[in-house]
Amino acid sequence: MSLIQENISLKSYNTFGVAVSSSFFAEVFSESYLKDLLLLPIVKEQQLLVLGGGSNLLFTKDFNGLVIKMSIPGITAIVEGNEVLVTAGAGVVWNDFVNYCVGSGFAGVENLSLIPGTVGASPIQNIGAYGVELKDVFYACTAYEITTAEERTFNFEECKFGYRDSVFKNELKGRYIITGVTFKLSTEAQINTKYGAIQTELVNRNITNPTIADISQVVADIRVSKLPDPSTIGNAGSFFKNPVIDRLAFEKVFAKFPDMVHYPAPNDKIKLAAGWLIEQCGFKGKVVGHTGTWKNQALVLVNHGDATGAEVYSFSEEIINTVYIKFGVMLEREVNIL
């Protein structure tokens, strides 16, 4: 069977549900399969796009190149004392991985419950939620260099993690395909409830000594209450990053808007809540044509059925410009635009 298919619809491969197609398409189920694929001449001739769950991108047009869908399965764990190294294939659905860890009593990823996407994409974005980032539990990842089909292992330092950022989005962008990720977890939980929403929900449920299963369930329930299910309405989760600004800039804008939601960030910077900024500009629940913002969370842009990627992108431009005019803060898209 040929490794590569032609003229494949990508509508079911992106959570926005945008109807676009790819000139060429290949689904990868093993490292050996990927290596064989990378050695084909067509790979060197085509523009490449590596897909996981398709949950962090917006197609604005058909893709004239080769889409490589990473579907490598499998989860294994090595327990040594209180330390656990858990390795998952790039194609494992992220929330399935979290559920496996929580169900096994491996602590560290429970706050990251219900984040869309796959394990292989998680280091690229340095995914995070509710006080935890991937870098907090990352140990190493394996990847194949596209031009040589040679395997390489990246340790924590080599990944150069930042806020929703890594080396794979910068100097190594487009050079490697991640095939598996190893996480350093623990059998002894360090429960993280510093985000107010978690603490409030625990109180509401009369839970005073939460387990990692409790935290995972609470986080999942909070996310469900705020975020739409991509299987029922197209979206890519949070469309914008929470902006991080220096203290001087913050003090200027805070003087005008003293109720502004904000959090401390490293290096004496301040993180603002993008959703709050957008909501203050009147966009929460707004519908424009076939797109709009989600009724419960202004940070999420949605496809109401037949939106094109260009339509969603244009709407996001309107949001960015409006927020900048009102607050002097420039929003940055978290979603990759293609």
Side-chain angles (χ1 to χ4, degrees):
M1 185 182 72
S2 173
L3 295 178
I4 297 177
Q5 300 171 275
E6 296 186 35
N7 299 318
I8 298 298
S9 171
L10 298 177
K11 185 173 182 178
S12 63
Y13 293 104
N14 72 98
T15 60
F16 250 115
V18 173
V20 293
S21 62
S22 177
S23 303
F24 301 97
F25 181 89
E27 189 164 7
V28 172
F29 297 95
S30 68
E31 292 188 355
S32 60
Y33 196 101
L34 176 63
K35 187 167 186 175
D36 289 344
L37 179 67
L38 294 178
L39 292 174
L40 294 177
I42 190 174
V43 175
K44 303 185 187 305
E45 300 166 358
Q46 297 294 325
Q47 180 183 3
L48 299 183
L49 172 64
V50 181
L51 273 186
S55 61
N56 194 47
L57 52 82
L58 174 67
F59 287 104
T60 59
K61 58 185 177 181
D62 290 338
F63 185 73
N64 183 24
L66 169 62
V67 167
I68 299 177
K69 172 71 171 73
M70 294 300 292
S71 298
I72 297 176
I75 303 176
T76 60
I78 299 174
V79 181
E80 293 185 0
N82 297 327
E83 184 179 287
V84 187
L85 293 180
V86 186
T87 300
V92 174
V93 173
W94 176 260
N95 200 54
D96 290 348
F97 169 73
V98 172
N99 288 339
Y100 168 87
C101 294
V102 171
S104 302
F106 304 153
V109 293
E110 56 276 2
N111 289 56
L112 304 178
S113 295
L114 222 60
I115 292 179
T118 57
V119 168
S122 62
I124 299 172
Q125 183 76 359
N126 184 24
I127 61 173
Y130 298 101
V132 176
E133 290 184 313
L134 177 114
K135 67 178 181 64
D136 300 326
V137 292
F138 179 88
Y139 182 76
C141 68
T142 55
Y144 277 72
E145 188 174 19
I146 292 172
T147 57
T148 64
E150 292 183 357
E151 184 181 18
R152 175 178 169 182
T153 298
F154 289 86
N155 62 28
F156 179 90
E157 289 75 18
E158 291 170 323
C159 288
K160 299 181 181 179
F161 291 119
Y163 174 59
R164 302 297 176 269
D165 201 19
S166 73
V167 70
F168 303 108
K169 293 181 71 173
N170 296 289
E171 55 261 49
L172 295 185
K173 184 176 182 179
R175 287 184 54 189
Y176 284 87
I177 298 177
I178 294 172
T179 56
V181 185
T182 299
F183 302 84
K184 188 175 182 179
L185 306 180
S186 176
T187 57
E188 293 188 349
Q190 299 293 322
I191 300 297
N192 183 337
T193 62
K194 66 182 181 181
Y195 261 66
I198 296 178
Q199 192 62 257
T200 299
E201 191 59 33
L202 289 172
V203 171
N204 291 340
R205 300 182 187 197
N206 295 316
I207 299 174
T208 55
N209 294 299
T211 65
I212 59 173
D214 292 328
I215 298 298
S216 177
Q217 188 61 57
V218 164
V219 168
D221 290 346
I222 292 171
R223 291 183 70 89
V224 167
S225 71
K226 291 183 177 181
L227 305 175
D229 183 350
S231 67
T232 59
I233 183 168
N235 73 93
S238 299
F239 197 90
F240 301 98
K241 296 180 180 180
N242 288 320
V244 178
I245 62 177
D246 63 47
R247 184 165 294 277
L248 181 60
F250 168 72
E251 289 173 351
K252 288 181 180 179
V253 70
F254 189 69
K256 296 181 181 178
F257 304 96
D259 56 343
M260 174 177 285
V261 178
H262 62 282
Y263 309 94
N267 302 317
D268 198 35
K269 293 182 180 293
I270 305 295
K271 181 190 293 186
L272 307 181
W276 185 89
L277 298 172
I278 297 167
E279 185 173 344
Q280 299 308 303
C281 292
F283 282 102
K284 186 176 181 179
K286 187 173 183 178
V287 177
V288 178
H290 297 104
T291 187
T293 55
W294 182 236
K295 60 184 178 180
N296 296 332
Q297 175 53 268
L299 192 57
V300 179
L301 274 57
V302 297
N303 177 0
H304 285 296
D306 297 304
T308 65
E311 188 177 2
V312 177
Y313 182 84
S314 177
F315 181 54
S316 73
E317 278 285 284
E318 181 185 351
I319 290 174
I320 290 172
N321 292 336
T322 305
V323 168
Y324 184 74
I325 290 170
K326 184 176 180 69
F327 295 103
V329 175
M330 183 65 69
L331 293 181
E332 182 181 348
R333 296 176 183 89
E334 185 171 330
V335 171
N336 295 307
I337 308 297
L338 293 170

